[in-house]
């Protein structure tokens, strides 16, 4: 709570400072967050690293079964995801990412680029270095960030109900210790096991529209006490007790 209150205070101060010296509020908030600043409006046809950064933050706003690519190309699917993001937060849903869209993103992220309701610590209870998994430490951490932004979208669609994570990235040693599958997506950093409220079935059902290609829940072996979501090359949804 203190972290969130401090962030809001800093953002307010920066916005007010921007108003005084003629700097846009969106730019001020981004710099205050020490994360990432967009310096141009993006729309269909745009390309570059700034498009990729946008895709990371809107990849959870897709249709059922869809997965948004992080390819730096602002195509129709990225525009559609931006529209859904804009509509969800009360913005004009035109599919063009401009100052108001970026301002909302800045308000939703912390200084390390994680969404305000999730942390790297929640996605990694194995080791602080993100090493020892199936990919490099940098890739595992980057994958976890993408997962957090999808969960942020999912959380908002559920009515801003807190989502609890019991397991995220695992090294091979950590995965073996908990009896995880040898091919577990936890080894790649893009998986999260969800517990608590809402129900496991509600979480599994909602996850279908937030870019997760792997959803395992009640009815799938060893998943009666959590819902597992991940981003894998091929789609696997299995939660028979939930109608999936």
């Amino acid at each position: 709570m203190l972290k969130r209150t401090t962030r809001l205070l800093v953002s307010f101060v920066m916005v007010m400072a921007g108003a005084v010296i003629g700097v846009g509020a969106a730019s001020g908030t981004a710099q205050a967050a020490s994360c990432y600043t967009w310096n141009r409006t993006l729309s269909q046809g745009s390309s570059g690293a700034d498009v990729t950064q946008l895709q990371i933050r809107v990849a959870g706003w897709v249709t059922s079964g869809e997965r948004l690519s992080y390819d730096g190309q602002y195509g129709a699917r990225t525009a559609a995801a931006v529209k859904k993001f804009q509509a969800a937060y009360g913005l004009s849903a035109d599919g063009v990412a401009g100052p108001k869209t970026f301002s909302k993103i800045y308000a939703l992220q912390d200084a390390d680029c994680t969404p305000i309701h999730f942390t790297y610590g929640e996605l990694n209870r194995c080791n602080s270095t993100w090493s020892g998994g199936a990919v490099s430490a940098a890739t595992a951490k980057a994958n976890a960030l993408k997962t957090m932004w999808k969960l942020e979208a999912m959380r908002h669609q559920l009515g801003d109900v807190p989502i609890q994570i019991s397991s995220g990235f695992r090294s091979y040693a950590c995965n073996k210790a908990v009896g995880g599958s040898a091919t577990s997506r936890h080894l790649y950093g893009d998986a999260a096991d969800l517990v608590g409220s809402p129900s496991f079935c509600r979480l599994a059902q909602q996850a279908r529209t937030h870019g997760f290609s792997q959803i395992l829940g009640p009815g799938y072996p060893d998943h009666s006490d959590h819902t597992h979501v991940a981003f894998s090359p091929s789609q696997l949804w299995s939660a028979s007790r939930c109608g999936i």
Side-chain angles (χ1 to χ4, degrees):
M1 183 65 181
L2 178 58
K3 178 183 179 184
R4 177 64 175 143
T5 302
T6 302
R7 248 186 49 78
L8 289 173
L9 178 59
V10 171
S11 296
F12 175 76
V13 171
M14 290 301 295
V15 168
M16 293 306 294
V20 172
I21 64 176
V23 177
S27 176
T29 305
Q31 292 165 4
S34 302
C35 178
Y36 187 85
T37 305
W38 284 269
N39 297 312
R40 60 170 178 156
T41 294
L42 302 176
S43 59
Q44 286 197 60
S46 298
S47 63
D50 50 358
V51 175
T52 303
Q53 289 294 325
L54 175 65
Q55 290 170 328
I56 289 171
R57 290 156 178 79
V58 301
W61 296 99
V62 292
T63 59
S64 181
E66 183 184 7
R67 289 177 285 175
L68 188 66
S69 297
Y70 306 102
D71 59 5
Q73 301 297 319
Y74 203 121
R77 295 174 70 183
T78 297
V82 170
K83 283 183 181 180
K84 289 190 70 175
F85 172 87
Q86 291 168 328
Y89 287 101
L91 304 176
S92 177
D94 57 8
V96 175
K100 290 184 179 179
T101 299
F102 297 137
S103 182
K104 173 50 66 175
I105 291 174
Y106 298 148
L108 288 172
Q109 68 185 10
D110 280 317
D112 59 358
C113 291
T114 59
I116 56 177
H117 297 107
F118 299 94
T119 67
Y120 281 118
E122 291 177 276
L123 268 290
N124 183 0
R125 292 184 168 88
C126 175
N127 63 56
S128 61
T129 63
W130 296 85
S131 61
V135 292
S136 69
T139 297
K141 191 172 183 180
N143 287 343
L145 180 65
K146 294 171 182 176
T147 295
M148 281 187 271
W149 278 102
K150 291 175 185 176
L151 290 174
E152 184 70 26
M154 184 170 156
R155 184 187 191 280
H156 187 63
Q157 285 296 88
L158 286 168
D160 290 313
V161 175
I163 293 177
Q164 300 176 47
I165 300 169
S166 63
S167 182
F169 166 74
R170 298 174 192 160
S171 66
Y172 280 106
C174 289
N175 191 58
K176 183 178 181 180
V178 299
S181 165
T183 59
S184 173
R185 294 306 302 182
H186 288 282
L187 297 165
Y188 295 81
D190 58 31
D193 290 347
L194 312 180
V195 296
S197 179
S199 70
F200 302 143
C201 280
R202 184 73 184 94
L203 290 167
Q205 292 160 352
Q206 187 66 46
R208 294 176 295 183
T209 58
H210 296 289
F212 292 109
S213 53
Q214 191 173 91
I215 305 171
L216 307 175
Y220 188 81
D222 301 319
H223 285 70
S224 61
D225 59 352
H226 69 281
T227 289
H228 166 94
V229 295
F231 185 86
S232 62
S234 58
Q235 181 171 303
L236 173 60
W237 291 357
S238 184
S240 58
R241 295 181 195 168
C242 309
I244 299 175

